[in-house]
Amino acid sequence: MAVATTFLLLLLLTTTTNSAPTYTTSIPANFTASHFQFIDQSGDFLRSTNRTYTAAIANPQPTSPSFYLLVYHSQSHTVIWSANRNNPITNSAQLRLSNTGLTIHNDSGVPVWSTPPIQSTVASLQLLDSGNLILVDRFNNTLWQSFDFPTDTVVSEQRFPVGKSLIASRNPADFSEGDYSFEMTTGDGMLRWRGLTYYRLLMDSKSVKNSNRPVSYLVVNGSGFYLFGDPGSGLVAQILITAPTANPGYRILKMTNEGRLVVMRYRDNVWVTDFATPSEDDGCRVPSHCGKLGFCSGGGCSCPPGFRGDRSTNGCSPSDASLSLPESCDSNSTRQRSNSSEDYIYVQLGKGMSYFSIGFTNPIKTGMDQSSCEDLCSANCSCLGFFHGNPSGSCYLLENHLGSITSSSNNGVNDPLGFIKAISSSISSRDLDDDSNSDFPVIGLVLLPASGVLLISIFAVWILRRRSNKTVSKTKKSMNGSFSGELEVFSIAGLPVRFDHGDLVEATADFSTQIGSGGFGTVYKGVLHDKTVVAVKKITALGAQGKKEFGTEIAIIGNIHHVNLVKLKGFCAHGSERFLVYEYMSHGSLDRTLFGSGPPLEWQERFEIALGTARGLAYLHSGCEHKIIHCDVKPENILLNDNMQVKISDFGLSKLLSPEQSGLFTTMRGTRGYLAPEWLTNAAISDKTDVYSYGMVLLELIQGRKNCVQATNRSSGNPTSSTDGRSSGSSGSRNHPRPRSFYFPLHALEMHEECRYLELVEPRLTGRVSKGEAEKLVKVALCCLHEDPSLRPTMANVVGMLEGVLAVGEPRLECLNFLRFYGRRFTEASMAESGAEVEMPNGFMVATTDNSSSPTASLNSFSYMSSQQVSGPR
Ligand SMILES: *[C@@H]1O[C@H](CO)[C@@H](O)[C@H](O)[C@H]1NC(C)=O
Ligand SMILES: *[C@@H]1O[C@H](CO)[C@@H](O)[C@H](O)[C@H]1NC(C)=O
Ligand SMILES: *[C@@H]1O[C@H](CO)[C@@H](O)[C@H](O)[C@H]1NC(C)=O
Ligand SMILES: *[C@@H]1O[C@H](CO)[C@@H](O)[C@H](O)[C@H]1NC(C)=O
Ligand SMILES: *[C@@H]1O[C@H](CO)[C@@H](O)[C@H](O)[C@H]1NC(C)=O
Ligand SMILES: *[C@@H]1O[C@H](CO)[C@@H](O)[C@H](O)[C@H]1NC(C)=O
Ligand SMILES: *[C@@H]1O[C@H](CO)[C@@H](O)[C@H](O)[C@H]1NC(C)=O
Ligand SMILES: *[C@@H]1O[C@H](CO)[C@@H](O)[C@H](O)[C@H]1NC(C)=O
């Protein structure tokens, strides 16, 4: 039915060719709209008189199936209001304006949202230049206005009255109501998490209270927040943000899904956060900052004593594996449980541990001893813990939801002590996690593999939730895929910010400090106005298609957050140029650390890098909404931060390459690089292609040098030749003198057959690595190299094997024989003179060209293999 409708609509659209034009200012009653009807305008159906605002039926992200009636700021594409935020519709569902009001219908014609009943006859719908969407009668009297029903945003000069709330979205891609809200009361503005107050506006250090009269409404303008009393009674309080400037830009007040009330300014195409409360320094004020029962201190997260990290809840749970946290009866887990208090065990939080709600609620009772307080909690299934204070005997119950634990501000002896309710269960799923003192070793062992799989899937979910809590200026944008090649007026869903070209020129001092270059372009170091150091990538290899899809791809990449993936901070489209702005990684890429001349990486560091890389890739493959195949896994794309933590870069970009560049990209590496055999055989490229490349990287991590060492007598320009020379020399003392050209994967296979794993490890680590450790990594690497992609483990399985929750696979020799062939070919090809050609299987040619004349010589990241190209009939 829906398909048929869609088809008909498409037919209609293709035959009539032009969709309905966008109205300006006003639409008379008896009007209908759907996204499809206005598809040429991206769903825009009404603009305000001077075009500052647009009303549309659109989706928050180009790929999102959820459509909303919304009003957005035209220039920044920031959504300031949405009607059906909890009831999204499809792109063919209808908005109807009749003389009784506005309704939104789903595909079956059932209303999912409507304006409240209106007494008079509606004459028209109008969008004012203030951003207010209104219904008026024929005398232009306002009958209904969107300003009376704010969602999560208040615009400059909009009055936000007492009693109204701003409810944050669940996330930038989902407008439905999330956990955080801001409510204006007569005394103050309250920030709440799941109904519990955790901050007040006037607690902010910048606030100034002028009187104790009740507040009537709040206004934000170019200089700050103003809380006004009843008409005539004047200003009650204010928070000054900045002195008025000549060009203040466009400002909004917004409750973010990260629990902060922010004022953002849009100027020169960039969002800047002028004000955020609680402030970044007060990060622990945000109740979910460290997840459930996570201990937040100084903005950092850990688990309180007696608790340990729990991936399934993105927080902490009791270390004692026989204890589990009860579900609140409030959340419909109808698991039948006895009510008697003997079943509960209370885990005490240490001294100095507090909880956000204690500062904002009164004790349920005072003058109570601890055990009575405990009984109160045990008697009510919505109670999840309590705090008890002496000598007042105050008893605070923690009900329905648990947030993060904070450190108490005054380390006094009289601080209430916290107790968390737990259920003692002999067998809980957590037993299987890691506990050596488990009472049920047999069961633990039997269930281990299953729990591993479970853990991995949970891990993906955990990662998904573990988003950065930083308040970054951001745009929320409704957008669909129909923008043209020009990107001058467009902004992106999710986090990345659009940068002004001038700002990037300034930040990079006119692109003066180049810090790298690769298949996609050149990377420059830059420093933004707010002193953050960034890496600015100028994309040079963008094809026409890539330009067109730039926005879509950036929207996807920008929404991917994982500790092991580099964060995209923003982008810039300037004429035909495209730039990406990433967080800057102080330690550069892995190849520098691994192959450079510094001290060798310790084995544990190598292991962490291997694990981090595997986690990042596993997330790309299965953790995020869109499966992303990296296509270019190699040490140059594995960056390291201050703590030597892995951050994978360049993911999601392969689709943007021009055909010529992607040809290069797919044919560059051949037998010697990280490129899987399927690149050469026209077989499908899948996530297993990345697994192969990962296996190659893992081998390099083990041995501390490149897999393909070539005779380097004439490639003096090759920056890595000296490294290779050194390591070649150091390995000369081994039993197996190496030929001048050397193909390590084959060597690894041979040593594996002879169980001589330690001989594969970086010689400088001799004595510091156990055979078992070496064996594990070598076996994982070889399994990743299996010729048949379907026989390679998934990245999630690799994570499991490295973490020890999955048994390490046994490499299959029959799937690795191709390495013998590659190895032989490699040495032969390396010996061949410049320009010689060596026949490859499947009709492929290996053309060896001189480094200096190679068209790819400028691509540094490929240079260590650029003296050879494998080209295929593509
Ligand atoms: C809208 O339609 C209703 C019922 O079909 C009709 O009574 C009314 O006059 C129409 N209004 C306008 C402005 O066309
Ligand atoms: C429209 O909403 C009604 C009532 O909620 C529901 O029964 C129906 O399945 C919905 N139709 C579509 C296509 O979603
Ligand atoms: C549009 O009108 C609003 C309200 O009158 C005004 O604040 C804004 O500056 C105007 N914008 C433009 C682009 O004229
Ligand atoms: C109502 O407002 C519209 C749009 O501003 C205007 O065109 C129209 O003349 C107004 N009608 C009356 C009766 O004031
Ligand atoms: C904002 O409003 C306050 C109070 O009405 C006023 O004093 C201030 O000048 C206004 N600032 C700007 C930039 O309009
Ligand atoms: C619990 O179930 C009731 C009825 O089944 C439902 O209305 C309510 O929304 C549910 N609450 C939660 C938190 O899922
Ligand atoms: C738990 O308490 C509820 C309400 O007091 C009662 O209806 C229920 O029967 C009790 N369940 C058990 C297992 O005692
Ligand atoms: C448990 O606590 C909740 C929240 O305070 C309250 O609404 C409910 O009535 C209590 N239930 C019992 C059985 O006391």
Side-chain angles (χ1 to χ4, degrees), residues 761-777:
V761 174
E762 155 94 50
R764 289 181 288 172
L765 296 181
T766 305
R768 281 182 272 170
V769 185
S770 79
K771 184 172 174 187
E773 290 169 323
E775 180 179 346
K776 178 169 165 180
L777 289 204

Side-chain angles (χ1 to χ4, degrees), residues 512-662:
S512 54
T513 316
Q514 184 179 333
I515 52 174
S517 68
F520 302 98
T522 316
V523 188
Y524 302 90
K525 185 172 177 174
V527 181
L528 298 180
H529 284 305
D530 63 0
K531 302 274 185 290
T532 36
V533 186
V534 291
V536 179
K537 174 167 292 212
K538 179 176 179 181
I539 303 189
T540 49
L542 208 61
Q545 188 66 17
K547 283 205 183 83
K548 229 168 106 193
E549 285 172 8
F550 185 74
T552 318
E553 291 306 314
I554 299 315
I556 294 170
I557 299 168
N559 266 311
I560 297 175
H561 304 280
H562 183 273
V563 287
N564 296 120
L565 299 175
V566 168
K567 188 166 165 197
L568 181 67
K569 293 179 86 80
F571 68 99
C572 167
H574 177 70
S576 65
E577 294 178 318
R578 301 285 181 271
F579 300 85
L580 296 177
V581 181
Y582 288 102
E583 54 180 340
Y584 178 76
M585 291 299 136
S586 52
H587 271 84
S589 52
L590 174 61
D591 58 315
R592 285 201 234 167
T593 312
L594 190 60
F595 308 136
S597 52
L601 282 168
E602 281 306 324
W603 184 257
Q604 189 56 34
E605 290 175 313
R606 289 170 202 244
F607 182 81
E608 292 299 339
I609 289 168
L611 187 56
T613 309
R615 284 177 176 155
L617 290 174
Y619 184 69
L620 287 178
H621 292 172
S622 53
C624 37
E625 198 181 332
H626 305 268
K627 178 177 194 153
I628 291 180
I629 302 169
H630 190 295
C631 289
D632 202 15
V633 178
K634 55 182 179 179
E636 288 80 350
N637 285 333
I638 298 169
L639 309 185
L640 300 171
N641 75 1
D642 281 338
N643 305 319
M644 297 297 278
Q645 188 177 39
V646 166
K647 303 267 183 184
I648 298 172
S649 76
D650 272 3
F651 54 89
L653 296 184
S654 51
K655 283 197 203 156
L656 298 177
L657 286 179
S658 62
E660 310 88 278
Q661 285 287 345
S662 69

Side-chain angles (χ1 to χ4, degrees), residues 215-342:
V215 177
S216 162
Y217 63 93
L218 174 153
V219 170
V220 179
N221 68 13
S223 40
F225 286 88
Y226 299 88
L227 273 54
F228 287 96
D230 285 331
S233 71
L235 203 58
V236 175
Q238 57 185 311
I239 295 181
L240 286 186
I241 298 171
T242 46
T245 54
N247 176 11
Y250 171 71
R251 257 178 231 249
I252 58 170
L253 167 73
K254 177 172 168 170
M255 187 67 206
T256 69
N257 61 314
E258 286 148 346
R260 288 201 170 78
L261 186 70
V262 301
V263 174
M264 302 198 298
R265 184 162 44 103
Y266 187 74
R267 193 160 71 92
D268 303 335
N269 296 330
V270 182
W271 277 109
V272 180
T273 301
D274 280 338
F275 173 82
T277 196
S279 69
E280 196 75 31
D281 308 334
D282 240 358
C284 292
R285 289 269 185 195
V286 177
S288 64
H289 193 81
C290 289
K292 183 178 180 179
L293 295 177
F295 178 52
C296 190
S297 176
C301 297
S302 59
C303 283
F307 289 79
R308 59 171 175 171
D310 182 344
R311 284 168 186 169
S312 63
T313 64
N314 176 28
C316 303
S317 58
S319 305
D320 182 343
S322 66
L323 296 180
S324 61
L325 298 174
E327 302 268 330
S328 167
C329 49
D330 179 61
S331 61
N332 288 345
S333 78
T334 47
R335 191 148 61 99
Q336 216 39 55
R337 206 182 291 127
S338 155
N339 299 349
S340 70
S341 56
E342 295 102 85

Side-chain angles (χ1 to χ4, degrees), residues 794-806:
T794 61
M795 280 322 301
N797 284 343
V798 168
V799 172
M801 289 189 242
L802 294 179
E803 286 180 330
V805 295
L806 284 186

Side-chain angles (χ1 to χ4, degrees), residues 750-809:
E750 289 165 347
M751 291 298 104
H752 161 68
E753 288 172 312
E754 297 174 44
C755 286
R756 289 157 62 185
Y757 298 106
L758 283 176
E759 297 194 41
L760 295 169
V761 174
E762 155 94 50
R764 289 181 288 172
L765 296 181
T766 305
R768 281 182 272 170
V769 185
S770 79
K771 184 172 174 187
E773 290 169 323
E775 180 179 346
K776 178 169 165 180
L777 289 204
V778 173
K779 281 185 171 173
V780 170
L782 287 176
C783 287
C784 292
L785 298 187
H786 285 158
E787 186 170 24
D788 180 350
S790 67
L791 295 176
R792 294 173 202 152
T794 61
M795 280 322 301
N797 284 343
V798 168
V799 172
M801 289 189 242
L802 294 179
E803 286 180 330
V805 295
L806 284 186
V808 174

